[in-house]
Amino acid sequence: MKPDTLHGQVTRLLSGFYTVQNENGVWVCRLRGRLKKQRSEGDIVALGDRVEFTPLPDGTGVIEAVQPRTHALIRKAPGARGEYRQVLLANPDQVVLVFACAQPAPRLGMLDRFLVIAEKQKIPPIIIANKIDLVEDARQPFQIYETLGYRTLYTSTKTGAGLEELKRQLTGKVSALAGPSGVGKSSLLNAIQPGLGLAVSEISAAMNKGRHTTVTRQMFALDGGGYVADTPGWKSLALWDTEPEEMDAYFPELRNLVPLCQFSDCAHKHEPGCAVRMALKEGKIHPERYHSYLKLRAGQE
């Protein structure tokens, strides 16, 4: 690093301008020309990237280098030169998957897909079962995920249940927020930090309007430290380059059974000596999780 350069993290993107923040301040930066000329199959600089930049006398800056990403949420997007690897968020510490217990009913197949993406990217997931005030037994549909070792929080903005724990989980970390519409993401964020949910939902709405609109991508600072970023677009995230047999590794209840199958290329559908199907028969694997596995595997074939 040059003596006059600083380190920071990209917290906002808009039309070629990158807001970079560190403990000393905020700079709106452009890319150094040589970075723009680099051949790349994806975003050179993305939201969440840690960068080296040169501050300028007018208060702006120039990004000189991008540090290697520890993790990234990537989706495929059509481009002029073919398929483009669009980075929704770089360097997240965790993904926060919000689903409602009711209104709308939990779409557990979607949750399973999101968990596979988190497993593939090696990003720790946290499941939020929201609106627990609307049902008598909130744990029933989500208990299977607790038994698999996934951290699951049960929340309600109406009663305040789980909100302090959620706030502790978000503080000091970069969190990617995901979940279907109507599950109460904005209400949860507003409950832990007034105005946060509204700001995040406005950015999310703009991102979903279409490819030709001017889109701002932004991470929002938490009062206690850390950032949260809404990450729509999970339907096209990071499974397009997954081989069918890879799916075994992304289901915790399956991956230790696979080596016990009679055939090394077992698809766990009808083959003799299948340890996975035996565990299913013995009630050690939840039928809905097995169905999700087959569906996701078939989707990659």
Side-chain angles (χ1 to χ4, degrees):
M1 187 174 74
K2 298 178 182 178
D4 56 345
T5 58
L6 301 175
H7 282 111
Q9 190 165 25
V10 177
T11 59
R12 190 171 189 263
L13 281 70
L14 177 62
S15 301
F17 291 91
Y18 304 85
T19 300
V20 179
Q21 188 167 343
N22 64 20
E23 64 276 8
N24 297 317
V26 178
W27 292 261
V28 176
C29 299
R30 300 294 296 264
L31 279 184
R32 181 67 72 189
R34 58 180 170 75
L35 286 181
K36 294 181 182 179
K37 295 176 183 178
Q38 290 181 357
R39 288 183 59 84
S40 176
E41 295 179 353
D43 295 321
I44 298 172
V45 180
L47 188 68
D49 269 330
R50 301 182 184 100
V51 298
E52 297 173 16
F53 68 99
T54 301
L56 301 178
D58 63 358
T60 63
V62 180
I63 294 175
E64 307 284 355
V66 182
Q67 297 179 7
R69 295 165 183 152
T70 56
H71 306 290
L73 290 168
I74 302 171
R75 69 174 176 180
K76 60 179 179 178
R81 298 181 180 179
E83 202 166 77
Y84 187 81
R85 295 166 68 92
Q86 183 183 43
V87 181
L88 296 184
L89 183 64
N91 305 308
D93 296 306
Q94 59 188 11
V95 292
V96 181
L97 307 174
V98 184
F99 285 75
C101 296
Q103 298 181 15
R107 299 171 61 184
L108 299 184
M110 179 185 289
L111 175 55
D112 290 335
R113 178 184 171 82
F114 287 4
L115 289 170
V116 165
I117 292 168
E119 292 275 358
K120 181 177 173 64
Q121 299 295 326
K122 296 182 172 62
I123 306 170
I126 296 176
I127 299 169
I128 308 298
N130 193 31
K131 303 186 184 181
I132 63 173
D133 54 284
L134 297 180
V135 295
E136 290 186 6
D137 185 2
R139 289 186 178 273
Q140 191 277 325
F142 293 96
Q143 194 169 22
I144 177 62
Y145 300 102
E146 292 187 89
T147 63
L148 293 172
Y150 291 116
R151 184 69 184 273
T152 306
L153 305 183
Y154 296 87
T155 60
S156 168
T157 55
K158 186 174 182 179
T159 67
L163 297 184
E164 282 302 317
E165 189 176 3
L166 173 59
K167 189 173 183 177
R168 285 194 297 270
Q169 286 294 319
L170 296 178
T171 300
K173 297 176 181 176
V174 174
S175 301
L177 191 68
S181 60
V183 297
K185 289 179 290 184
S186 296
S187 297
L188 281 174
L189 293 175
N190 281 333
I192 64 173
Q193 183 171 310
L196 178 62
L198 176 62
V200 171
S201 65
E202 287 177 348
I203 291 292
S204 178
M207 291 172 68
N208 281 318
K209 281 184 179 178
R211 71 177 68 173
H212 300 298
T213 58
T214 300
V215 173
T216 303
R217 295 186 178 276
Q218 186 167 350
M219 301 196 306
F220 292 87
L222 298 169
D223 290 342
Y227 294 92
V228 62
D230 196 21
T231 52
W234 278 60
K235 287 183 178 180
S236 54
L237 269 174
L239 285 183
W240 72 89
D241 59 348
T242 305
E243 296 297 326
E245 57 271 16
E246 280 185 67
M247 203 62 65
D248 301 345
Y250 306 140
F251 279 74
E253 64 268 53
L254 268 61
R255 55 189 169 217
N256 292 330
L257 294 171
V258 171
L260 305 178
C261 289
Q262 182 176 342
F263 299 101
S264 60
D265 59 349
C266 185
H268 319 301
K269 295 179 181 178
H270 47 69
E271 296 85 349
C274 174
V276 169
R277 289 175 60 242
M278 180 60 69
L280 176 69
K281 186 177 179 180
E282 294 173 351
K284 297 177 181 178
I285 296 174
H286 196 284
E288 290 301 319
R289 285 280 293 175
Y290 176 71
H291 177 73
S292 287
Y293 164 79
L294 292 181
K295 187 174 180 180
L296 284 168
R297 179 173 172 132
Q300 309 312 312
E301 291 178 345

